[in-house]
């Protein structure tokens, strides 16, 4: 593993309905001297803007905070295509109301405690099932996020062969945050819940990332202004994008062809990068 790796890194905190109030946030940076440098944050307030950014012909490795696949159990029970690309095209053809109704009917037919189907990666990552349509609506994030990746022709290791200069991986900031904070919450979109305790948690998390105190062994390099910006963003969106940036940096170190993903991952479900 080299001390320095070339190329742009990006971490994406995604919104399925971006706006000026709740934009998609990109944390852009690079690795040098064993550190991950945050270069800048970009905010995109439309899905069209997100698609345009992805289509720019520049090399990068990115981790995106939305699911790249659905649970195999769900897909098979619904009779949808089990080929990933065919499944994603079918899923993209559905409206959100159709998705909500279909998934709700699936859950209603199942026993309490086992309503949702899960992907193999959900347990080690501690992530929400990718068919969940509320709190958080990751099913709609998949619906909004994967089509622009495909339209841009990027490479999705283990799922879809594309332009290998632009490598997109499924990230999950909660995985890295929990390693540092345990069950402490560090963010909320609800202003009433943007408490001093969550502010302290963000400070603790940022300090740990700067000191490389995670199993990824990566140290985050921030300017004073960037540290203040991540601390002051009570929604946690900028910090989540930065956590994904670190996951992208780890994947870049692991390198092609798998970028740290398990070689045996389910080619329908996908896998969250850095999940055990």
């Amino acid at each position: 593993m080299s001390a320095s790796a070339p190329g742009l890194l990006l971490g994406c905190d995604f919104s399925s309905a971006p706006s000026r109030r709740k934009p998609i946030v990109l944390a852009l940076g690079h690795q040098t001297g064993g550190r991950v440098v945050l270069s800048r944050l970009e905010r995109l307030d439309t899905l069209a803007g997100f698609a345009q950014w992805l289509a720019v012909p520049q090399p990068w490795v990115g981790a995106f905070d939305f699911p790249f696949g659905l649970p195999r159990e769900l897909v098979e029970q619904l009779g949808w295509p089990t080929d990933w690309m065919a499944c994603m095209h079918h899923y993209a053809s559905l409206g959100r109301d159709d998705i909500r109704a279909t998934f709700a009917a699936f859950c209603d037919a199942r026993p309490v405690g086992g309503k949702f189907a899960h992907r193999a990666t959900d347990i080690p990552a501690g992530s929400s099932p990718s068919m969940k349509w509320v709190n958080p609506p990751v099913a709609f994030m998949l619906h909004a996020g994967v089509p622009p990746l495909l339209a841009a022709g990027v490479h999705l290791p283990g799922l879809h062969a594309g332009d290998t200069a632009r490598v997109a991986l499924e990230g999950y900031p909660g995985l890295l945050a929990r390693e540092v904070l345990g069950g402490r919450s560090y963010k909320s979109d609800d202003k009433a819940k943007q408490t001093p305790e969550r502010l302290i948690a963000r400070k603790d998390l940022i300090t740990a990332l700067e000191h490389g105190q995670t199993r990824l062994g990566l140290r985050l390099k921030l300017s004073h202004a960037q540290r203040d910006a991540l601390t002051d963003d009570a929604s946690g969106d900028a910090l989540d994008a930065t956590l994904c940036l670190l996951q992208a940096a780890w994947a870049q170190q692991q390198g092609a062809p798998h970028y740290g993903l398990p070689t045996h991952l389910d080619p329908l479900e996908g896998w969250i990068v850095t999940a055990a």
Side-chain angles (χ1 to χ4, degrees):
M1 188 181 299
S2 65
S4 180
L8 179 68
L9 295 170
L10 79 96
C12 174
D13 179 71
F14 190 70
S15 170
S16 58
S19 64
R20 289 189 177 180
R21 188 188 66 80
K22 186 71 173 176
I24 296 167
V25 181
L26 301 182
L28 304 173
H30 62 277
Q31 298 193 62
T32 182
R35 297 193 294 183
V36 179
V37 179
L38 175 62
S39 302
R40 67 187 188 278
L41 296 167
E42 289 191 18
R43 290 173 170 83
L44 306 170
D45 55 20
T46 65
L47 289 172
F50 176 64
Q52 289 168 3
W53 196 100
L54 292 173
V56 174
Q58 58 181 333
W60 48 259
V61 175
F64 296 80
D65 181 21
F66 58 84
F68 284 11
L70 291 165
R72 179 171 291 275
E73 180 186 6
L74 171 74
V75 172
E76 289 180 346
Q77 186 162 324
L78 294 176
W80 291 358
T82 53
D83 170 77
W84 182 82
M85 178 66 88
C87 184
M88 290 299 100
H89 282 316
H90 174 73
Y91 191 59
S93 74
L94 303 174
R96 291 189 182 183
D97 289 343
D98 296 327
I99 292 169
R100 184 185 296 108
T102 300
F103 289 178
F106 175 92
C107 292
D108 288 345
R110 289 161 67 92
V112 174
K115 294 291 187 182
F116 291 100
H118 293 265
R119 296 182 296 162
T121 193
D122 291 334
I123 304 305
S127 55
S128 296
S130 60
M131 65 172 295
K132 194 174 183 185
W133 62 93
V134 288
N135 299 326
V138 287
F140 297 151
M141 293 166 71
L142 187 162
H143 185 259
V146 167
L149 293 177
L150 291 176
V154 305
H155 183 59
L156 285 71
L159 295 174
H160 173 66
D163 175 10
T164 54
R166 293 173 295 149
V167 179
L169 300 152
E170 180 181 341
Y172 177 45
L175 176 57
L176 202 51
R178 272 199 310 274
E179 187 180 333
V180 174
L181 298 175
R184 295 165 62 198
S185 176
Y186 62 97
K187 61 179 181 175
S188 179
D189 286 331
D190 182 348
K191 288 194 180 297
K193 296 180 180 178
Q194 294 174 352
T195 60
E197 291 77 15
R198 287 186 168 91
L199 172 62
I200 292 168
R202 286 195 299 281
K203 290 181 176 180
D204 290 347
L205 177 53
I206 292 165
T207 298
L209 298 176
E210 288 183 305
H211 287 91
Q213 294 169 340
T214 74
R215 61 186 169 82
L216 302 187
L218 295 168
R219 290 181 296 141
L220 177 64
K221 178 69 170 69
L222 300 172
S223 68
H224 293 301
Q226 288 171 337
R227 188 183 303 111
D228 289 344
L230 295 184
T231 301
D232 294 343
D233 180 6
S235 72
D237 295 346
L239 185 48
D240 281 349
T242 303
L243 289 163
C244 284
L245 176 72
L246 288 168
Q247 291 181 317
W250 180 86
Q252 185 185 58
Q253 287 185 339
Q254 310 315 302
H258 303 297
Y259 293 90
L261 300 178
T263 56
H264 60 277
L265 70 81
D266 187 317
L268 174 64
E269 293 188 343
W271 196 266
I272 292 169
V273 69
T274 76

